[in-house]
Amino acid sequence: MASTTPQAYENLINGTVDIIFAAGPSEEQREMAKNKGVELTLTPIGKEAFVFFVNAANPVTGLTTKQIQDIYTGSVTDWSEVGGKPGAIQAFQRPENSGSQTMLLKVMGNKQPMAAPKEDIASGMGGIISQTADYKNYKNAIGYSFLYFATEMVQNGNIRLLEVDGVKPDKKSIRDGTYPLTAEFYAVTAGSSNPHVGRFIEWIRSAQGQTLVEQTGYTPMIDSH
């Protein structure tokens, strides 16, 4: 079953599934588990880079972590302030409790991101709902995701991944830890009685399982060669 990160955690906490593969939970998801009397167990199975990207025509090739924080708090609002051409920065965000948004909050530390851009969406109930506007590849836009999801957009030539603190996000910089915004992703369980779950996690952390993690496009926890 494939779903969004919030749906995956709901399925796990509600006992619909035995195991999910996802980014780490948000504080809200941890609280949801606690309220249900469920303990989340996170087993790292691979590493991934959290990346920021801009339109391919944007001359900015990199930002520092502080510049990213300043953009997302709203204290830096124009590309000319970070080495680009004059133009208001359109800083898109992701929906609350998505893996990417949880990671942004970690990058921000104790700084609060500004209100996310919203767009009106027609709901299935015939009304209009307002929800977080996801990345649109406008010339002055910036967005973020995990490298796995951004790779296709990069290959299409539509966006450029930004260096962070002078380091380009790629397999090598994820593996050796020089890229600063690296996150583990997990096999997450919540006390399933299914006897196969433990064996499955053992396998995915074995050399064979880690080879599969790498073939899927992530960086393995161990050298699978």
Side-chain angles (χ1 to χ4, degrees), residues 70-179:
D70 289 345
I71 287 170
Y72 276 94
T73 56
S75 59
V76 165
T77 59
D78 197 283
W79 282 110
S80 60
E81 297 175 73
V82 289
K85 294 177 181 173
I89 298 172
Q90 292 171 291
F92 285 98
Q93 295 189 41
R94 298 298 314 282
E96 196 177 349
N97 290 326
S98 67
S100 295
Q101 192 66 11
T102 299
M103 189 65 186
L104 177 73
L105 296 179
K106 287 184 181 174
V107 173
M108 296 300 288
N110 57 5
K111 298 177 181 177
Q112 183 64 33
M114 61 185 167
K118 299 278 186 180
E119 58 189 348
D120 290 336
I121 306 283
S123 78
M125 303 301 288
I128 298 285
I129 56 171
S130 183
Q131 67 183 40
T132 302
D134 204 348
Y135 183 74
K136 305 281 187 301
N137 200 22
Y138 304 139
K139 66 176 184 176
N140 286 333
I142 183 171
Y144 49 84
S145 180
F146 288 101
L147 180 61
Y148 179 87
F149 298 106
T151 301
E152 189 177 330
M153 290 192 284
V154 173
Q155 287 172 346
N156 291 342
N158 296 331
I159 64 168
R160 173 191 296 114
L161 297 181
L162 295 176
E163 294 181 355
V164 177
D165 298 334
V167 182
K168 182 181 175 184
D170 57 27
K171 285 280 170 65
K172 181 179 183 301
S173 62
I174 299 170
R175 194 189 295 276
D176 64 21
T178 53
Y179 181 71

Side-chain angles (χ1 to χ4, degrees), residues 160-223:
R160 173 191 296 114
L161 297 181
L162 295 176
E163 294 181 355
V164 177
D165 298 334
V167 182
K168 182 181 175 184
D170 57 27
K171 285 280 170 65
K172 181 179 183 301
S173 62
I174 299 170
R175 194 189 295 276
D176 64 21
T178 53
Y179 181 71
L181 307 182
T182 301
E184 292 177 335
F185 69 98
Y186 303 94
V188 189
T189 55
S192 169
S193 59
N194 188 322
H196 302 298
V197 167
R199 291 170 59 204
F200 187 80
I201 291 174
E202 274 180 39
W203 170 77
I204 207 164
R205 283 178 60 86
S206 72
Q208 187 183 47
Q210 289 288 289
T211 298
L212 184 64
V213 165
E214 186 165 32
Q215 287 174 348
T216 308
Y218 295 100
T219 300
M221 296 296 297
I222 61 170
D223 190 345

